[in-house]
Structures are given as C-alpha cells and as structure tokens.
C-alpha cells in the first residue's frame, strides 16, 4: 500500500502559517513530501521528459556506470547547476540537437529556482528568515534504470539517504518503484508518482544543519515493471564554502548541537570509502 506523502503548495508555504507548519512537520517526521505550485511550466517538463529518454545524450563527462551494488542503474549529469558556466559546458557536450540542449539548460535553471525556493521556505518554517541558499552548489542528474523481465522484483538502487541538504525529484510518471522508510512503522512503503508535482527528500546535510530537526529519509528503488525507468534529480548539496554547521539560531539549551562541523566533500568521501550510505556515516560526526 502506497504511503500518503504530504503535498505542499509552494505558493502558500512561507505566506500561510498553516502551510509552513505542514512543511516543517513533513520534514521532521517523514523527511519526504511533494510540492505543487512550483512554477515550472508543464510544457518544459514534457520537453525534458522527451530529452531525457535520449539514450545517447552524454558523450563522456558526468557519467555514472552500473556497479556491483546497483547493476541496473546508470546516470549522467553536471556538478553545479547553480553555476551558469557549468550548465553551458554540460549542454555543449550533449550529443543532441540544439533545441534539446536549450531544453536542458532552461530546465536546469528553472529547477535551481525551485530548489532554492523550497530550501528558503523550509528554513523560514524553522524560524530562520532571509537565509540564502542561492549560491549553494546544486548537482543535476538524469537517472536511468535498465529493467527487463528478468529483473522484476529486484533492486534498482540499494537503500540509502541522500548526502546533501535536500533533493528535488521529477519521477517517471509511467514506472514507479520508489520506496521510503516510514519511521513510524519501520517499514518501506511505495511512493506512487504524481504528474505535475516534484518529490522532495531531506538528506544528511539537512539533518546535520538543522541539528537533527529534519529527518534524512531512507529510500530505495525496486524494479516493478520490465521497462526502463527514468527520473531527474536536482541535489542541493551544501554551503558554497563546503562547511556544514548548524546556524547559531538553532542551538540552545533545549536543542544542543548534535553534529560537529564538517566539510561536505570530506563527508561524501567518507560515505564512499565506508559504504555507509544509509545515514550511518552521519553518526560518526556526532558532537
């Protein structure tokens, strides 16, 4: 049975106190919610869906090959969608017609606007006003799951948390398979795709930055159909200076600092070296 993921209207969050409260509650309990009212035109989403199904988009840079842990998964993308030069360089490498390159460029820019808006309104819901995420690096990635009849029922991507602050995901509207851990029951539950919305996941940096207020959601992908599954993710990673630390406004007698300051790149390397990708590595940084 699919879990009911909270749906937040971005047009109201930050302006309507009850919607801001729902946003905060979703991040504290499940660490996962949907957003509508995001302002990304439906036409651009449709154009990007067509572009992302081009199996020969990338010639080289940014490619993630299938691995022993995730043999059905591959991806490609760019490191920082917040940097216009990086977006231009990425688009220049696309083995695709110019209009598709322009689609990817427009999509990356719009999604950067969305992820900054989500993060800003989340910070506001926690009482931190006027906190800027504009210059935080954002990783843009197109994911492809190469499913066949023989892989139905197997793992598409192993259980993990995202390493960054938060993720905005455009799901494959035709093929599901994403599952999130419900902390209330301790069980993984399917998350059905919803057209026109984006799914938001809180990551490890979000948990550390909020000194434990925000829940880093464990999730995985299962193969549920013998057809390729494609999704697009935008990851808001960490502050531009790479230092992750809870703002002083979050630390008081009732909310002590739970994690010591760390560098995000060091943390990401720690996750890779230890194989601890489901939140365990964060525990090593407890204050």
């Amino acid at each position: 049975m699919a879990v009911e993921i909270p749906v937040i209207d971005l047009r109201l969050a930050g302006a309507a106190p009850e919607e801001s409260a729902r946003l905060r509650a979703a991040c504290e309990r499940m660490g996962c919610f949907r957003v509508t009212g995001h302002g990304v035109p439906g036409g651009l989403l449709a154009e990007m869906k067509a572009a992302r199904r081009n199996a020969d988009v990338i010639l080289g840079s940014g490619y993630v090959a299938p691995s022993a842990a995730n043999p059905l998964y591959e991806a490609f993308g760019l490191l920082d969608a917040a940097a216009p030069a990086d977006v231009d360089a990425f688009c220049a490498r696309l083995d695709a017609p110019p209009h598709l390159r322009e689609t990817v460029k427009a999509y990356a820019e719009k999604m950067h606007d969305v992820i900054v808006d989500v993060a800003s309104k989340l910070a506001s819901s926690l009482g931190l006003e006027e906190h800027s995420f504009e210059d935080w690096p954002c990783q843009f990635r197109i994911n492809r799951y190469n499913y066949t009849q023989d892989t139905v029922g197997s793992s598409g991507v192993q259980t993990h948390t995202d390493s960054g602050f938060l993720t905005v995901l455009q799901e494959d509207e035709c093929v599901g398979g994403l599952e999130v851990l419900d902390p209330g029951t301790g069980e993984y539950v399917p998350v059905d795709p919803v057209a026109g919305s984006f799914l938001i996941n809180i990551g490890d940096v979000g948990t550390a930055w909020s000194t434990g207020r925000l829940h880093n959601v464990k999730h995985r992908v299962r193969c549920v159909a013998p057809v390729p599954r494609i999704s697009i993710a935008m990851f808001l990673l960490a502050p531009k200076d790479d230092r992750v630390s809870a703002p002083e406004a979050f630390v008081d007698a009732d909310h002590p600092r739970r994690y010591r300051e760390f560098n995000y790149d060091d943390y990401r390397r720690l996750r890779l070296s230890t194989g601890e990708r489901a939140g365990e590595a964060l525990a090593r940084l407890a204050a």
Side-chain angles (χ1 to χ4, degrees):
M1 179 178 179
V3 67
E4 184 175 347
I5 298 295
V7 179
I8 306 298
D9 188 335
L10 276 182
R11 294 167 297 188
L12 298 178
E18 62 275 13
E19 197 73 355
S20 294
R22 292 182 64 246
L23 170 60
R24 174 173 176 168
C27 294
E28 290 178 339
R29 181 193 176 277
M30 180 74 76
C32 181
F33 58 97
R34 290 193 181 282
V35 294
T36 59
H38 44 68
V40 181
L44 181 57
L45 296 179
E47 291 173 9
M48 190 62 197
K49 183 187 297 184
R52 73 187 184 183
R53 293 188 180 277
N54 179 354
D56 300 318
V57 167
I58 290 296
L59 292 173
S61 180
Y63 179 71
V64 178
S67 64
N70 300 307
L72 306 179
Y73 169 81
E74 60 182 343
F76 55 88
L78 65 108
L79 177 59
D80 191 4
D86 284 10
V87 176
D88 288 341
F90 173 80
C91 290
R93 289 193 294 267
L94 298 183
D95 183 18
H99 74 276
L100 285 184
R101 300 181 193 180
E102 290 304 312
T103 293
V104 173
K105 183 176 180 179
Y107 182 90
E109 291 174 351
K110 276 289 188 182
M111 292 303 292
H112 178 252
D113 291 342
V114 170
I115 205 167
V116 168
D117 191 27
V118 171
S120 298
K121 288 174 177 174
L122 174 55
S124 179
S125 77
L126 294 170
L128 191 64
E129 303 291 348
E130 306 299 328
H131 190 83
S132 177
F133 296 89
E134 190 69 35
D135 64 351
W136 287 33
C138 291
Q139 185 178 36
F140 171 76
R141 182 182 295 167
I142 302 177
N143 307 302
R144 180 183 176 92
Y145 302 81
N146 299 302
Y147 295 154
T148 66
Q149 188 65 54
D150 293 338
T151 63
V152 173
S154 61
S155 171
V157 165
Q158 65 183 340
T159 298
H160 66 286
T161 57
D162 294 337
S163 63
F165 185 84
L166 63 78
T167 306
V168 176
L169 181 70
Q170 181 182 351
E171 302 155 279
D172 192 317
E173 296 173 5
C174 301
V175 185
L178 177 64
E179 297 178 346
V180 301
L181 181 66
D182 185 338
T185 65
E187 298 180 352
Y188 281 91
V189 289
V191 179
D192 293 335
V194 176
S197 71
F198 296 125
L199 189 71
I200 314 297
N201 291 332
I202 300 298
D204 293 350
V205 167
T207 295
W209 178 86
S210 65
T211 193
R213 286 175 170 86
L214 306 181
H215 178 69
N216 51 339
V217 60
K218 291 183 181 180
H219 53 288
R220 65 190 184 189
V221 179
R222 308 290 294 177
C223 175
V224 297
V227 293
R229 178 181 185 269
I230 301 173
S231 64
I232 309 176
M234 181 77 84
F235 303 90
L236 184 65
L237 300 178
K240 188 175 183 179
D241 64 6
D242 204 43
R243 296 168 56 192
V244 178
S245 180
E248 291 298 328
F250 290 166
V251 181
D252 56 35
D254 295 326
H255 302 92
R257 194 176 297 278
R258 289 184 55 182
Y259 302 96
R260 62 181 184 271
E261 183 179 294
F262 60 90
N263 288 337
Y264 174 68
D265 281 346
D266 291 342
Y267 177 66
R268 189 157 53 175
R269 284 193 289 268
L270 174 65
R271 282 178 39 126
L272 290 172
S273 66
T274 63
E276 297 174 335
R277 301 186 183 183
E280 304 94 341
L282 193 58
R284 296 173 177 263
L285 302 175

